Amino acid sequence: MEDLPGIVITGASGRMGQMLIKTVVDSEKARLVGAVERTGHPWVGMDVGEAMGGQPLGVKVTDEPLEAFAKAQAVIDFTAPAATLQFAKLAAQARAVHVIGTTGMTDDDIAKLGPCGRHAVIVRAGNMSLGVNLLTQLTKKVAEALDEDFDIEVIEAHHHHKVDAPSGTALMLGEAAAEGRGVDLADVADRGRDGITGARKKGDIGFVAIRGGDIVGEHDVLFAAPGERITLRHVATDRSVFARGALKAALWGQDQKPGEYDMLDVLGL
């Protein structure tokens, strides 16, 4: 076991944090060496397995991320943009692979990751699942093949706890569609419609966000023209698909040179 890459999970108490911990513990290719939570969180100082309501795992939750990162080969991070930027600096300092599944990051946030990528491997993606990344490639291909007679709409649905909209995955799909069309998404994105908006602008890429219940994640890319529609769809029914993808990225990163990568690199797409 000591020869396996050591993984630290940030945001250990969250839904994704707990799923990531379970995924790493169940894996035969990695070992859990750290769990990080914010200062003052009731889990700090507890065995993370017991904090999750299970058996002890021999790993205590800490609010000292650098100390945890220094013992690890990879950090998996599904937290919030401000926390992720701080973790990126610390992961680079520890020369640990930093897998980022955090959504809601702005272009400015992403740009700030650049200096960290000069010292360590960063794998960042709006979605870590194999299926979604294949959907991204398909979206680009279809957008390349169809002209502006086909309106493009990205429709996404998530649970009522999600704090950002559109989702990181929806934006990733929108970027793929824009790339296929040869345009900049910032110039054609329509992210909100309310009231008397007028007719849809030709060439725009629209976004619709649905929030409700315990929906894990659903994404549709609709290409609609007079007389016909094409819909590309992905449905996630279990967060484990994201956790498995993130672990795959953490293991893949062990053999890479410092730099910024995404899941398409991990999957060789």
Side-chain angles (χ1 to χ4, degrees):
M1 284 290 290
E2 293 299 318
D3 295 333
L4 299 178
I7 311 291
V8 171
I9 306 300
T10 62
S13 71
R15 289 185 299 276
M16 270 307 302
Q18 294 189 52
M19 179 61 73
L20 287 161
I21 288 167
K22 292 175 183 175
T23 299
V24 173
V25 169
D26 290 342
S27 171
E28 296 180 351
K29 298 180 180 179
R31 57 195 174 94
L32 183 71
V33 297
V36 174
E37 259 302 344
R38 66 185 182 278
T39 299
H41 192 281
W43 281 24
V44 173
M46 295 179 63
D47 182 284
V48 70
E50 293 178 329
M52 290 169 57
Q55 296 298 312
L57 295 175
V59 173
K60 286 190 175 182
V61 180
T62 181
D63 58 1
E64 297 287 347
L66 182 57
E67 184 180 301
F69 294 1
K71 299 182 292 185
Q73 282 69 56
V75 176
I76 303 181
D77 175 18
F78 283 65
T79 54
T84 290
L85 291 178
Q86 292 303 312
F87 291 145
K89 295 175 184 177
L90 299 177
Q93 189 175 335
R95 300 300 191 266
V97 174
H98 189 191
V99 177
I100 301 173
T102 301
T103 61
M105 299 186 75
T106 65
D107 290 342
D108 184 53
D109 291 332
I110 294 167
K112 290 177 181 176
L113 296 173
C116 302
R118 290 197 287 270
H119 301 285
V121 172
I122 296 175
V123 182
R124 187 188 65 83
N127 193 299
M128 295 285 175
S129 87
L130 171 60
V132 162
N133 283 278
L134 289 172
L135 177 62
T136 300
Q137 292 297 85
L138 290 171
T139 297
K140 179 182 174 183
K141 291 292 185 184
V142 175
E144 284 176 349
L146 302 177
D147 59 25
E148 289 188 352
D149 286 341
F150 282 82
D151 298 322
I152 303 176
E153 293 283 318
V154 181
I155 305 113
E156 55 101 343
H158 285 86
H159 52 86
H160 58 211
H161 294 292
K162 189 166 178 62
V163 298
D164 58 305
S167 69
T169 302
L171 293 172
M172 187 168 73
L173 293 167
E175 289 283 4
E179 187 176 349
R181 283 265 169 97
V183 297
D184 188 332
L185 181 61
D187 296 332
V188 298
D190 185 350
R191 293 174 56 165
R193 301 184 184 115
D194 185 33
I196 307 301
T197 61
R200 188 187 198 281
K201 184 179 176 183
K202 191 170 186 176
D204 274 0
I205 297 174
F207 291 86
V208 178
I210 298 166
R211 296 290 177 267
D214 60 355
I215 301 170
V216 173
E218 300 179 3
H219 294 87
D220 293 80
V221 184
L222 172 68
F223 297 85
E228 60 180 332
R229 294 189 298 273
I230 300 167
T231 302
L232 304 177
R233 179 170 174 79
H234 180 270
V235 176
T237 58
D238 191 322
R239 286 184 181 82
S240 64
V241 300
F242 312 128
R244 290 195 300 271
L247 178 57
K248 183 180 181 71
L251 297 175
W252 176 87
Q254 301 303 308
D255 299 321
Q256 310 307 314
K257 296 179 180 178
E260 296 181 69
Y261 303 89
D262 60 23
M263 282 301 289
L264 297 181
D265 295 313
V266 175
L267 300 171
L269 297 175

